[in-house]
Amino acid sequence: MDERLPDGSQVFRASWRGGITWLAGFSLALGLLMAWWALDDRGAPVALWGFAAFFGGMGLLLFKPVLSRLPVLSVGPQGVSGQLTRGHTMPWSDITDVEHHTVQGQELITLVLRAGSPLLAPTKPLIGGGLKRSLSLQPLRKAERARAADAVQRAFQRHAGAQAQRAAQALLAEWQAEGDFEQRLRDKTPSLWALYAVVALNVGVWIANLVDGLNPLQPATADLFRWGASSASAVVRDGDYWRLITATVLHGGLMHLALNMYALWVAGLQVCRWFGNGPFLLIYWGSALAGSALSLHFSAQQAVSVGASGAVFGVLGALLAGVWQHRERVPKAVVTQLLTSQGLFVAISLAQGFTRPGIDNAAHIGGLLAGAAMAWLLVELVDEQASAEQRRRRQWLATGVVALAVGGLVASAAPGVDHRALFEQQTVLREVLPRLQAAESALQRDARAQQAGQMSEAQLIDAMERTHIPAYRAVGEAMARVQPAAPSPQLDDLRGLQSGVLELMTLEVGKARGTLDPAQADQRAGVVSARLADLGQRLRARNGDAGAD
């Protein structure tokens, strides 16, 4: 809301119906929901508390302009004050220029101070730096933002000198050009349904993962592979080419999804309007495929790969290439802002990918290059001279280039770690090993009791015949039902251990019952014992090798 003071100052205060209130409320509600979840589930991971604090703190921070006693903006005869200046008044004599512009949907008022102004120190830059101090108008209601910007501009024109007035007129013309440019894009693409669809698809798949029982914060690698994660062996050797797409809608937890969707939303708003919904989908899915295909030569050789990062980087690459290609047709401020902010984001993200483990930077680079190449070939909506036929030809050309690149990368990739066999072996071990360990523990317990004199040899033989031999036979039957797709040394060793111990018990029972010749039984027992000793050495050697890696 705005009010006028007796000295003629106009005061604009934050409104609960301002542009950031809904986002603040959503962040705070999400933080409270996660905190309630963590309190309700005593076994909740510590990371859940971190997410609750993060989103709750973000919500409180976004609510700060509404709760502050200082107005968002106060424009008077002496100068400008408000939350940006922390109560200090910026005199008109210290202000050399005023800018009103929109950055990714955020309306800003930027005040350019003269060099040496004493207000440079107490007013740290919120957005921008140097001599500029920027203030977001989003806490105000939409109608009040225009009045606030107009009040600053009018006051600046009244109190600034003739040179400043001429500069303001030039800025007004630039603002008008920016507004006209943005409006033309909105008119050409009034509905961004393609962006909404891909975001909904990614979120929907994550929700489906939750319904299926996957961990919402850190799903198991085997579960992601079962859902369609990318792996060089699965794609190249097994022919699961569909994984190149399914991997791009799977995510390794809530934070992975949230970061990807935020970056996609920020860049996608621009790309969808620059190119239109159809070309946006071509850029998105073409970059997703290219990122997955390049990953087959690097990360997917050793680990499974998931995430929409390749597609997101493709959208970013398309935005940067499109802005640079048509920089003469786009307002200068828009070109500078987009190239600077998005280019810096891409550079930082790629640098982190090279220095931090667990990041599939090959998918990022593949998507980035594919998106930039398609944007260079496609015809943007800002090119109003291109015909519909020319646009279609360029779309087919971009599709063909990406298809050839993806096909070449997939055809030249080598199969890496056999994740399918690895996960099958892990499943086998989870199913069979506990039963074998239980049978072995029971046998060892009775053997120790016999050695301690708590059980006679006849009682031990009877326990073997009645309990332990049936238990080991049941384990053997369970192992026989397991048929892995690839050779499993671990399963073979477990089978050898089970059959050897079972045969030794059978020989002991046969000797005691008189059904076997003692000499022959002892000779056979020696052979089996030697085989078990060799098996033990192999198991110890394998465990030692695994520890060294």
Side-chain angles (χ1 to χ4, degrees), residues 72-157:
V72 174
L73 182 67
S74 177
V75 184
Q78 304 303 320
V80 179
S81 63
Q83 294 180 13
L84 169 66
T85 65
R86 301 179 182 179
H88 297 85
T89 299
M90 287 186 177
W92 296 112
S93 58
D94 279 0
I95 300 175
T96 62
D97 205 353
V98 175
E99 300 173 3
H100 173 216
H101 49 99
T102 301
V103 178
Q104 298 180 3
Q106 298 282 326
E107 287 193 49
L108 301 175
I109 286 289
T110 299
L111 306 177
V112 183
L113 302 180
R114 64 174 175 82
S117 171
L119 291 172
L120 289 173
T123 56
K124 296 181 179 180
L126 301 179
I127 300 176
L131 301 178
K132 294 185 177 183
R133 296 296 181 267
S134 297
L135 172 67
S136 174
L137 299 180
Q138 292 304 116
L140 303 177
R141 297 174 60 181
K142 186 173 182 179
E144 292 176 350
R145 297 173 203 163
R147 291 199 296 270
D150 183 69
V152 174
Q153 295 164 11
R154 290 180 180 275
F156 176 72
Q157 290 177 356

Side-chain angles (χ1 to χ4, degrees), residues 504-528:
L504 285 177
M505 288 192 295
T506 303
L507 292 171
E508 290 295 328
V509 172
K511 286 197 308 179
R513 298 292 186 248
T515 58
L516 293 177
D517 179 69
Q520 292 180 351
D522 290 340
Q523 183 181 5
R524 179 59 185 169
V527 174
V528 174

